[in-house]
Amino acid sequence: MSNGNGEAQIREVLSTFHPELVNIPADVDLIDSRLINSLAFITFMQNLIDATGHEPDLDSVPIGKLRTIEGLTEIFFRSDAPSAQVAE
């Protein structure tokens, strides 16, 4: 999966919160800029997991990477990104 496609998927999920915003720079802090508040962040992350089918191991991710489109793309779409073990 290419990061360009991954970034598009993240932007698509983000657009459910702010459909009017289409040109958000990939390095903008989504929380500091108030694009996603702390309560919506949990929903946003679950929507990303649902959309990508990938649940990253958040214990191994630097917190700063969760705050930008650029960081989220790396977390969700990097081929060697660690995944959480999900009990069935």
Side-chain angles (χ1 to χ4, degrees):
M1 211 177 294
S2 76
N3 279 355
N5 183 37
E7 185 175 314
Q9 267 191 283
I10 290 169
R11 289 179 182 282
E12 185 176 327
V13 172
L14 185 59
S15 74
T16 64
F17 293 87
H18 292 283
E20 73 283 2
L21 300 176
V22 292
N23 293 319
I24 302 165
D27 62 346
V28 165
D29 188 308
L30 300 173
I31 296 169
D32 284 349
S33 65
R34 300 181 190 253
L35 291 170
I36 299 289
N37 66 37
S38 58
L39 295 175
F41 183 76
I42 295 167
T43 302
F44 175 64
M45 288 299 292
Q46 186 59 55
N47 290 352
L48 280 176
I49 291 166
D50 292 345
T52 64
H54 175 71
E55 184 173 350
D57 180 6
L58 298 178
D59 290 335
S60 68
V61 173
I63 193 83
K65 292 208 179 268
L66 297 172
R67 300 174 72 98
T68 65
I69 293 170
E70 185 175 66
L72 290 164
T73 301
E74 185 177 327
I75 291 166
F76 279 90
F77 295 96
R78 198 179 71 211
S79 62
D80 63 339
S83 294
Q85 296 293 333
V86 180
E88 293 188 31

